[in-house]
Amino acid sequence: MKPPNHPKQPGRSRGRARGLAGGLAAALAAVTAAAVGLAMPAQAASTLKASAEARGRYFGTALTRGDLGNGTLTNLAAAEFDMVTPGNEMKWDATEPSRGSFNFGSGDQIVSFAQSHGMRVRGHTLVWHAQLPAWVTGVQLNQIQSVMENHITTEATHYKGKVYSWDVVNEPYNEDGTLRQDVFYKAMGANYIANALRAAHAADPNAKLYINDYNIEGINAKSNALYSLAQSLLSQGVPLHGIGLESHFVVGQVPSSLQANMQRFADLGLDVAVTEIDDRIPMPADSSELQQQGADYGKVVNACLAVSRCVGVSQWGVDDGHSWIPGTFPGYGAAMMWDSGYKPKPAYTAALNALNSGTSSPSASSSPSSSPSASPSRSPIGGACSATIKTVNSWGGGFQSEVTVQAGSAPVNGWTVKWTWPGGQTISSLWNGTQSVSGSSVTVRNASYNGSLAAGASATFGFTANGSAATPALTCASP
Ligand code: G2I
């Protein structure tokens, strides 16, 4: 029998900027889509963050301090994500290990990594029953409110202006929709949630304040209870701004009511975010399960795009080799968009394709942020179009590339990029274009949605390939 679809505690831990023109183009695409209700960004992008930004969303990941020492992982994270959640470093056991003694060193390292790569930060988490140092549960109940508020005030003040949002209260509910009888509840009853939100807002008035939980992705007893609480808090003027849907899924079990559930919270005037997605598979994962996982990621991204107040999606980590899943759910794994060799899986392609196609409501509250990927060098403009290739990721036996196609001094309506592989490379998956292959010759034509480019405008396509990373000479022609 499969384990229940929720995190168990404790788990085992394993474990500049895009050119100004690109940033403006993404922002303009989002604004244009908002103004005329268009569904599609005109120019598809080849990383999760660029594609998400073009839709007015972010795409995030969780990183731990240990991850920061892993160059492959951090390069990939910086290339693909524009939001970081610290995996453990801002939790109470890390930040106030003994009463009144605060340590923000590890959390600061995550913030500094994020800032230096143009990524924003979701603060996680201020009040949670888990990873709570033993001293807190030893405090007399009549002192818990002041201990909790002091913790929140000190931490949220330390990170004031540095975090986009806070998961102020984490995982407050039992599965049946009753509140957990943790030390905060015992001391203050349900009022601890309003008290926590007020303290956080006083310390950092610009941070978006969230309640975050798991198994609230669909409409069920737990999400119904949270919905009622959210209504009640808002009616009292409590500063609650968003609901975090953790989204720790089992493959094939993304709730069909996900979008409707997001929408009902959004209709209260709240933001919603997918905060910790992973999608675990009974091991060993076969190819149909990996395809289903892709369908699951696509479904979640599409739900977020369909709800204007869904501000973004964050995965809980980067690759299968550093995921919490195998340690907590023995027999399960392969829950992430990259495998343990950092190779993108079908879920990555599915998430990217969902961001680059389909329909969406423009985001109500998320603004694109700058991102750090290097601009490729371009060949002189003058012909119909030019194309440049760069390697964005590589692993044993394979690599991932991004090709930028740029129109010359006149608009193009359709483009074709060609090259010849130098060493037997083969494409395994390609997005934002259609390929035809003859021996070592590759021809990629535009997809239905990114063939028309204004003069000087660009589109990108991407692919994964087997073999050694290569940057062959490209030709570009417009039919
Ligand atoms: O459990 C998955 C996530 C569910 N939602 C809230 C998240 O905060 C939570 O994250 C996980 C971390 O990814 C794990 O790394 O929370 C776990 C525990 O609550 C974290 O595991 C803990 C281990 O249980 C400890 O033994 C270890 O000392 O990580 C600690 C730091 O490495």
Side-chain angles (χ1 to χ4, degrees):
M1 194 165 125
K2 292 182 175 179
N5 182 19
H6 65 81
K8 294 188 279 189
Q9 305 299 343
R12 177 155 61 89
S13 174
R14 310 244 188 140
R16 164 81 80 139
R18 185 181 54 207
L20 180 60
L24 286 174
L28 197 59
V31 168
T32 305
V36 298
L38 282 180
M40 281 293 311
Q43 295 137 30
S46 267
T47 60
L48 294 174
K49 67 178 182 186
S51 303
E53 287 167 16
R55 310 299 287 272
R57 270 73 174 180
Y58 62 79
F59 218 113
T61 184
L63 293 177
T64 63
R65 190 181 55 165
D67 292 335
L68 297 185
N70 179 331
T72 310
L73 189 154
T74 51
N75 285 342
L76 185 53
E80 292 286 346
F81 299 107
D82 56 7
M83 184 72 81
V84 177
T85 307
N88 288 304
E89 293 69 12
M90 291 188 185
K91 293 172 180 175
W92 199 314
D93 61 353
T95 55
E96 194 184 3
S98 58
R99 188 170 179 172
S101 168
F102 288 84
N103 182 349
F104 297 114
S106 297
D108 290 353
Q109 287 183 41
I110 305 281
V111 170
S112 154
F113 173 84
Q115 288 178 338
S116 67
H117 293 87
M119 305 157 104
R120 292 182 291 169
V121 175
R122 297 192 79 259
H124 176 83
T125 174
L126 295 169
V127 180
W128 188 24
H129 71 91
Q131 285 174 283
L132 187 65
W135 70 262
V136 179
T137 42
V139 168
Q140 285 180 5
L141 283 184
N142 64 6
Q143 293 178 33
I144 286 290
Q145 182 172 354
S146 79
V147 161
M148 179 189 84
E149 291 176 355
N150 182 55
H151 179 78
I152 292 170
T153 302
T154 307
E155 180 156 5
T157 301
H158 179 82
Y159 288 113
K160 182 179 179 181
K162 296 181 176 167
V163 297
Y164 161 73
S165 63
W166 270 112
D167 291 332
V168 178
V169 178
N170 201 43
E171 302 178 356
Y173 280 102
N174 295 308
E175 294 304 288
D176 64 0
T178 58
L179 285 167
R180 287 179 195 270
Q181 309 276 302
D182 61 17
V183 65
F184 307 108
Y185 184 90
K186 284 181 183 148
M188 291 166 267
N191 288 335
Y192 88 86
I193 296 176
N195 293 341
L197 288 161
R198 288 192 174 107
H201 188 59
D204 187 352
N206 293 322
K208 300 278 188 191
L209 303 184
Y210 277 68
I211 300 174
N212 185 54
D213 214 328
Y214 59 86
N215 287 353
I216 57 159
E217 295 78 20
I219 295 177
N220 57 35
K222 198 172 179 179
S223 65
N224 286 344
L226 176 56
Y227 181 78
S228 298
L229 175 71
Q231 280 181 310
S232 160
L233 292 170
L234 293 171
S235 72
Q236 297 166 64
V238 175
L240 172 67
H241 309 123
I243 301 295
L245 311 174
E246 290 188 11
S247 306
H248 295 291
F249 294 128
V250 176
V251 69
Q253 295 182 29
V254 175
S256 55
S257 53
L258 172 64
Q259 183 181 321
N261 188 44
M262 285 177 167
Q263 188 66 56
R264 69 172 172 162
F265 283 104
D267 289 344
L268 294 177
L270 293 169
D271 288 349
V272 293
V274 173
T275 53
E276 304 183 9
I277 190 172
D278 42 38
D279 195 29
R280 60 187 180 269
I281 299 176
M283 298 302 284
D286 66 28
S287 69
S288 72
E289 288 166 321
L290 293 170
Q291 292 301 326
Q292 178 61 50
Q293 184 179 61
D296 291 353
Y297 268 82
K299 185 172 173 179
V300 173
V301 169
N302 281 325
C304 183
L305 293 173
V307 175
S308 63
R309 296 201 71 126
C310 180
V311 294
V313 175
S314 297
Q315 178 174 263
W316 199 245
V318 176
D319 67 293
D320 288 337
H322 296 82
S323 165
W324 69 295
I325 292 292
T328 303
F329 296 100
Y332 281 76
M336 315 295 272
M337 289 183 283
W338 285 268
D339 72 14
S340 55
Y342 304 100
K343 183 180 178 189
K345 295 157 60 182
Y348 172 78
T349 315
L352 196 56
N353 281 338
L355 289 166
N356 284 337
S357 60
T359 58
S360 76
S361 296
S363 169
S365 59
S366 169
S367 60
S369 64
S370 66
S371 57
S373 59
S375 301
S377 62
R378 295 189 190 288
S379 50
I381 308 295
C385 57
S386 61
T388 54
I389 186 168
K390 67 177 180 177
T391 306
V392 295
N393 183 20
S394 62
W395 53 89
F399 63 100
Q400 180 180 343
S401 299
E402 180 179 287
V403 176
T404 301
V405 179
Q406 186 172 22
S409 50
V412 301
N413 190 14
W415 45 260
T416 305
V417 175
K418 297 187 180 190
W419 69 90
T420 303
W421 288 122
Q425 291 86 351
T426 53
I427 291 177
S428 46
S429 172
L430 183 138
W431 51 92
N432 300 335
T434 57
Q435 57 165 319
S436 56
V437 174
S438 170
S440 60
S441 300
V442 181
T443 302
V444 177
R445 294 197 166 78
N446 58 276
S448 59
Y449 49 83
N450 63 358
S452 297
L453 299 175
S458 59
T460 60
F461 65 87
F463 60 82
T464 52
N466 303 309
S468 310
T471 50
L474 309 182
T475 62
C476 187
S478 179

